[in-house]
Amino acid sequence: EERLVRMDAPVCFIPNLAIHLQTPEERKAFAINAETQLKPVMCSPCGAGPPPSPPMEDEGQADAAPRGAQHHEALLAAVADAAGVPPGRVLDVDLCLMDATPPCMMGDFVSTPRIDNVLSTWAAVDGLAAFAESGALDQSVDIACAASFDHEEVGSTSATGADSQVLGRWLDAALAGLGGRWSEVAHRSFLLSCDCAHGLHPNYADKHQAEHQCLLGSGIVIKTNANQRYATTPILAQMVRDIGARSAVPIQEFVVRNDCPCGSTIGPLLSAQLGVRTVDIGAPQWAM
């Protein structure tokens, strides 16, 4: 059995080195060794000893290694508590540390971790729900779906990443249940690749192409790249512009400077795998 857990309370922290212990060269470089200087520290209450080892599920297996023995006992206990099971039932874990700082409003802006790309995931699901609740779904002959993937920040190549066969297989299975095939609808389908865009940064304005400076709060961004780092095609881009005009949603355009590298999205991956027209869009933000 697998269980998904989220621990909102901070569990670990990564302390910085005081600037008084850094050389001028180290302060200027602001370089961090990912192996030796990014170790998360898990603190127990002052004076508290280590918790007891998690009991084994079957006490008769005296010669077997304790379950979860490869993990710190205090961490294992915290995970087990979040999962609602005894520590002895946890066989293994796959954990990711995240910023535990809660979101807040700063004027009209939102300051929060993980906007990229939880924002687009929320918008996609919320849009589908609104479409269904409006009654328009009853009159539609099309199939609308939203898909989010793991591992986008590490290349998307995994069993649950965008650079896999998971979406194509799901579409084949879903359409087979409706008596159709993906090959019959691919030519008239389109993909919105939704990922946050680069808004004009007030402290690094020179990093933005002069004719394509997108502002926060001024509309959705269409992202285009001649090297196919974005999968936007002219026809799909114009479709987004038309939808924006009908819906009174401002549309902005982003093109990276020629002397800057360009990030990418899962749009080119999915467009190539599915053979479907695509447009890369997103809400602008500053830091990523």
Side-chain angles (χ1 to χ4, degrees):
E1 178 186 359
E2 293 184 353
R3 294 198 181 185
L4 182 66
V5 299
R6 174 188 170 116
M7 292 176 281
D8 292 318
V11 177
C12 305
F13 71 98
I14 302 175
N16 290 327
L17 180 65
I19 61 172
H20 316 88
L21 303 181
Q22 301 177 36
T23 66
E25 291 75 17
E26 289 173 333
R27 297 179 196 174
K28 184 177 181 180
F30 199 68
I32 296 177
N33 186 297
E35 172 64 23
T36 62
Q37 298 170 346
L38 284 181
K39 294 179 180 179
V41 179
M42 186 174 185
C43 295
S44 301
C46 292
S53 299
M56 296 188 60
E57 195 71 15
D58 185 353
E59 297 296 341
Q61 298 177 353
D63 296 332
R67 294 186 175 186
Q70 67 272 33
H71 301 292
H72 193 283
E73 294 177 345
L75 178 62
L76 198 64
V79 172
D81 182 66
V85 299
R89 291 198 58 197
V90 179
L91 301 179
D92 205 349
V93 296
D94 181 11
L95 300 177
C96 294
L97 295 181
M98 64 182 186
D99 188 351
T101 305
C104 66
M105 296 294 299
M106 302 183 68
D108 292 331
F109 294 164
V110 177
S111 177
T112 178
R114 298 175 294 283
I115 281 184
D116 179 30
N117 191 33
V118 173
L119 173 61
S120 300
T121 299
W122 169 82
V125 175
D126 185 68
L128 283 182
F131 176 62
E133 293 170 355
S134 69
L137 181 63
D138 299 332
Q139 308 298 323
S140 175
V141 296
D142 297 316
I143 299 174
C145 67
S148 294
F149 300 88
D150 290 335
H151 310 132
E152 190 266 345
E153 296 293 352
V154 292
S156 295
T157 303
S158 70
T160 55
D163 193 12
S164 69
Q165 299 182 28
V166 62
L167 181 58
R169 289 178 176 177
W170 183 88
L171 290 171
D172 284 334
L175 288 166
L178 298 172
R181 293 184 300 174
W182 169 245
S183 59
E184 297 172 345
V185 300
H187 69 282
R188 61 184 182 90
S189 300
F190 63 88
L191 170 68
L192 293 178
S193 172
C194 302
D195 200 354
C196 289
H198 298 291
L200 179 64
H201 199 296
N203 296 336
Y204 300 91
D206 59 321
K207 290 295 185 179
H208 297 262
Q209 210 276 332
E211 286 75 34
H212 298 89
Q213 298 184 347
C214 304
L215 303 177
L216 271 64
S218 295
I220 296 298
V221 177
I222 297 175
K223 299 179 282 185
T224 305
N225 183 259
N227 293 322
Q228 297 301 303
R229 300 292 287 170
Y230 302 130
T232 299
T233 62
I235 293 178
L236 266 293
Q238 187 57 45
M239 181 193 75
V240 172
R241 297 185 193 105
D242 290 344
I243 293 174
R246 295 180 185 180
S247 307
V249 175
I251 301 297
Q252 307 182 85
E253 309 272 347
F254 175 80
V255 176
V256 74
R257 286 175 57 112
N258 288 324
D259 57 356
C260 287
C262 184
S264 188
T265 70
I266 63 174
L269 294 175
L270 294 177
S271 179
Q273 291 178 5
L274 299 175
V276 65
R277 297 168 296 175
T278 303
V279 57
D280 269 292
I281 63 173
Q285 69 173 102
W286 284 336
M288 287 190 183

